[in-house]
Amino acid sequence: MAITRVGVVGCGLMGSGIVQVTAQAGFETVVIEANDELLKRGVGRIRQTLEGLTEKGKLDAKAKDAALARLSGAVGLEHLKACDLVVEAMTENQALKNETFAKLDTICPPHAILATNTSSCNVTAIAAATKRPAQVLGLHFFNPVPLMKLVEVARTILTDDAVVKTSTEWVRALGKVPVQTKDATAFIVNRLLVPYLLDAVRVYEGGLASLEDIDQAMKLGCGYPMGPFTLLDLVGLDTAMYVAEVMFEEFREPRYAPPALLKRMVLAGHLGRKTGRGFYTYGS
Ligand code: 3HC
């Protein structure tokens, strides 16, 4: 099956990145938000990024205009009725995702593939909420989407081989590198990354070293592109805590339990870059 028209549900941090790379890769892209204000903000962010790249000489003006011309935004899932593939990138909430996929199932054409960018929700439960479970799978992108090469292709025990193949080819057409994994909580990357990030918070809580020195140690000692606290601030402390809670619920292993400091920072609204303050402070 050929994918030509792609829908993205949600134009937040992850959704806007997915929309950007999809439109830049030549696909007609429709993005859906919950209301006009969120839509305007999300599409505005994509426009600003593309214009910034053009100003820096990294993207020619014609390619920028063509990407923007392929992109349209709307409020209401009914605008996805002509899509061959829909990628959902809403907040991590199992009930909301199940409900959204049940609606998408009634709106999208029978051949359409329905994918979720979830990092921690149960993809099998999402698939079971539709009447086309064989056409549902996880396509998990990484933050920041335009810069991160990887996409985890997560099949459930219900996903059809042909759907995995078409989705994997689409991921390659975006210029990304797919890896195959199963619908198991946290897939590959978060299964390994989250305990590392939680351990960083624990050793900091325990007074081993300063934030800056822990970050510097992991950057220069291991060659990681950023230290654990810079990365937690990028991912969002609320997102990291949510993923950890789901992993703890699933595996019941103490190493997945969110540390007290992380919980308190989330309660205090220190969520990372997006709120201007996390482990570090951003902006003026
Ligand atoms: N589109 C295209 N290009 C863009 C862009 C965009 N939206 N935004 C920035 N760029 C370009 C910039 O113009 C810049 O080019 P220039 O250097 O020539 O000006 C280039 O990309 C690189 O920008 P930076 O200087 O910011 O890049 P860095 O070299 O510092 O790398 C990084 C940034 C890629 C974020 C790197 O630090 C990194 O890999 N960090 C780790 C990120 C990570 O681990 N992410 C995964 C998080 S886990 C996750 O997402 C899972 C979830 O489920 C929780």
Side-chain angles (χ1 to χ4, degrees):
M1 186 191 70
I3 307 273
T4 53
R5 199 172 168 86
V6 176
V8 178
V9 184
C11 201
L13 206 60
M14 297 301 285
S16 60
I18 297 169
V19 170
Q20 183 194 324
V21 296
T22 302
Q24 281 191 269
F27 297 93
E28 290 295 320
T29 312
V30 188
V31 60
I32 305 299
E33 253 302 354
N35 59 51
D36 287 327
E37 198 192 321
L38 288 174
L39 184 65
K40 204 170 147 198
R41 198 186 307 160
V43 173
R45 187 188 303 138
I46 299 165
R47 181 178 294 277
Q48 210 177 359
T49 301
L50 292 176
E51 282 167 358
L53 291 172
T54 302
E55 273 161 32
K56 279 203 233 163
K58 302 194 91 190
L59 177 68
D60 82 39
K62 266 193 185 158
K64 176 209 52 166
D65 291 341
L68 289 172
R70 282 190 286 267
L71 195 171
S72 62
V75 173
L77 296 176
E78 64 277 10
H79 295 277
L80 300 175
K81 63 174 186 282
C83 291
D84 306 305
L85 168 72
V86 174
V87 183
E88 167 275 317
M90 302 185 306
T91 50
E92 291 291 272
N93 178 322
Q94 183 81 52
L96 181 67
K97 287 184 197 278
N98 294 355
E99 195 186 309
T100 302
F101 275 71
K103 284 188 195 148
L104 288 172
D105 187 32
T106 64
I107 292 165
C108 297
H111 71 271
I113 294 174
L114 305 181
T116 173
N117 176 54
T118 189
S119 50
S120 53
C121 291
N122 189 315
V123 186
T124 308
I126 293 172
T130 72
K131 292 195 173 66
R132 62 176 93 191
Q135 288 161 242
V136 177
L137 81 172
L139 290 178
H140 183 217
F141 291 76
F142 291 82
N143 183 15
V145 176
L147 302 184
M148 302 302 286
K149 281 280 183 198
L150 188 73
V151 177
E152 291 177 316
V153 178
R155 68 181 304 159
T156 76
I157 50 174
L158 302 165
T159 316
D160 209 73
D161 286 345
V163 168
V164 174
K165 187 168 176 277
T166 304
S167 305
T168 303
E169 280 163 8
W170 178 72
V171 166
R172 287 206 183 94
L174 296 182
K176 302 285 183 200
V177 178
V179 290
Q180 310 291 331
T181 182
K182 290 179 189 158
D183 170 35
T185 301
F187 310 135
I188 304 168
V189 172
N190 281 335
R191 186 85 165 258
L192 299 174
L193 177 66
V194 171
Y196 155 71
L197 295 175
L198 300 179
D199 269 347
V201 178
R202 285 188 194 103
V203 298
Y204 171 63
E205 258 181 327
L208 178 71
S210 68
L211 289 176
E212 292 81 1
D213 281 355
I214 296 172
D215 268 357
Q216 193 73 300
M218 296 314 292
K219 259 181 86 169
L220 302 185
C222 294
Y224 289 1
M226 42 174 69
F229 298 106
T230 310
L231 183 54
L232 275 163
D233 279 356
L234 175 76
V235 166
L237 274 59
D238 52 341
T239 303
M241 190 177 88
Y242 184 80
V243 177
E245 278 172 343
V246 174
M247 291 172 78
F248 182 64
E249 177 72 20
E250 175 86 0
F251 302 112
R252 300 283 167 180
E253 289 183 33
R255 67 195 173 120
Y256 298 129
L261 175 62
L262 184 65
K263 287 190 202 165
R264 276 159 184 73
M265 288 183 70
V266 171
L267 286 171
H270 294 176
L271 307 183
R273 283 187 196 207
K274 62 185 167 188
T275 57
R277 184 164 174 189
F279 286 99
Y280 298 102
T281 302
Y282 302 86
S284 49

